[in-house]
Amino acid sequence: MSTRTDIRRSPVSRRLANAQRAAAATSESDSRVRLADLSLRPRWGLKGRDVFTFLAAKGAQNPRTDHRAMRQPDGSVIARLSPGEALIFAPPGDGGSSLGNAVESVPSSGQGACYPVPRRDSHCWFAIVGAAAPAMFAKLCGVDLSPDRFADGAIAQTSVARLSAIVIRHDVADMLAFFLLAETASAEYLWDCLDDAMKEFEGRVEDADAIWPAAEVQGTSQ
């Protein structure tokens, strides 16, 4: 009897292989901007008039307003994109999430009615970390992501490198950090744009577990 395994590949797997070879040939000096691919980590989307009623019934701590993200006690993150749309990111580590599991049992009618959206398939997921990240983004995006203008937990649905994208500030420990999501079909193009833009800021590619470790479970952003 055969055992089924997860054969998912990141949409930027070829770029990651090149980055690993390049990193092996350079020194391990600290960099001001770091880029990681989180695309293989679980994430879920929900749409519908009662999305946040449903999530609250499952124990979620929902953001109070649109365009805000909120950390959950288990380390997962809920991003409120509109009154009827949420993104749920699995916590770092093994990817387990009770909220994510609940998405598969959403009611299609009655109280809490909503429906799942396959964000893991439709959108790539990158993380950009470092004090110089806002300056790097300024080369690609018209939104000012400076820490004093774009708070932890803030969300911008905007254009990055001429692509429709979602930018979420999600600080890691004491480091300024952002999630970046865009259509999977454009993942390699976006990765190349980021890779080029961060060269000015001593940027380098990091492993996902190094940039967003399992130990990173901290207070909430609202």
Side-chain angles (χ1 to χ4, degrees), residues 136-176:
M136 185 211 71
F137 267 113
K139 302 172 68 174
L140 304 171
C141 175
V143 176
D144 186 353
L145 301 179
S146 302
D148 58 339
R149 300 292 299 274
F150 197 75
D152 191 18
I155 298 174
Q157 298 183 69
T158 184
S159 174
V160 176
R162 299 184 179 180
L163 295 175
S164 294
I166 301 169
V167 181
I168 303 171
R169 181 174 165 189
H170 180 80
D171 292 353
V172 178
D174 295 327
M175 297 182 295
L176 182 65

Side-chain angles (χ1 to χ4, degrees), residues 19 28 98 119 210:
E28 289 297 317
S98 60
R119 292 302 188 191

Side-chain angles (χ1 to χ4, degrees), residues 5 14-15 18 24 53 93 97 110 119 123-124 129 137 143 146 149 152 177 187 211:
T5 59
R14 291 181 297 179
R15 301 299 194 269
N18 292 337
T53 300
S97 169
R119 292 302 188 191
H123 282 63
C124 60
V129 173
F137 267 113
V143 176
S146 302
R149 300 292 299 274
D152 191 18
I211 210 168

Side-chain angles (χ1 to χ4, degrees), residues 63-75:
R64 298 191 188 102
T65 60
D66 295 343
H67 308 120
R68 299 292 299 177
M70 192 167 187
R71 296 177 179 88
Q72 304 300 300
D74 68 352

Side-chain angles (χ1 to χ4, degrees), residues 9-146:
R9 292 181 59 190
S10 166
V12 293
S13 57
R14 291 181 297 179
R15 301 299 194 269
L16 288 172
N18 292 337
Q20 290 167 355
R21 287 193 291 269
T26 60
S27 64
E28 289 297 317
S29 60
D30 290 337
S31 62
R32 297 180 61 205
V33 175
R34 291 182 290 158
L35 169 65
D37 174 36
L38 306 182
S39 297
L40 292 180
R41 293 192 172 183
R43 54 200 173 280
W44 305 266
L46 278 176
K47 285 188 176 184
R49 65 179 185 276
D50 290 330
V51 164
F52 297 101
T53 300
F54 169 78
L55 289 174
K58 297 299 181 180
Q61 299 178 13
N62 289 319
R64 298 191 188 102
T65 60
D66 295 343
H67 308 120
R68 299 292 299 177
M70 192 167 187
R71 296 177 179 88
Q72 304 300 300
D74 68 352
S76 59
V77 178
I78 293 178
R80 179 168 174 158
L81 302 182
S82 73
E85 183 174 5
L87 264 172
I88 304 168
F89 300 92
D94 62 12
S97 169
S98 60
L99 292 177
N101 294 335
V103 169
E104 299 181 3
S105 63
V106 294
S108 59
S109 61
Q111 187 175 15
C114 49
Y115 58 93
V117 182
R119 292 302 188 191
R120 188 174 182 181
D121 298 317
S122 64
H123 282 63
C124 60
W125 176 14
F126 302 152
I128 298 94
V129 173
M136 185 211 71
F137 267 113
K139 302 172 68 174
L140 304 171
C141 175
V143 176
D144 186 353
L145 301 179
S146 302

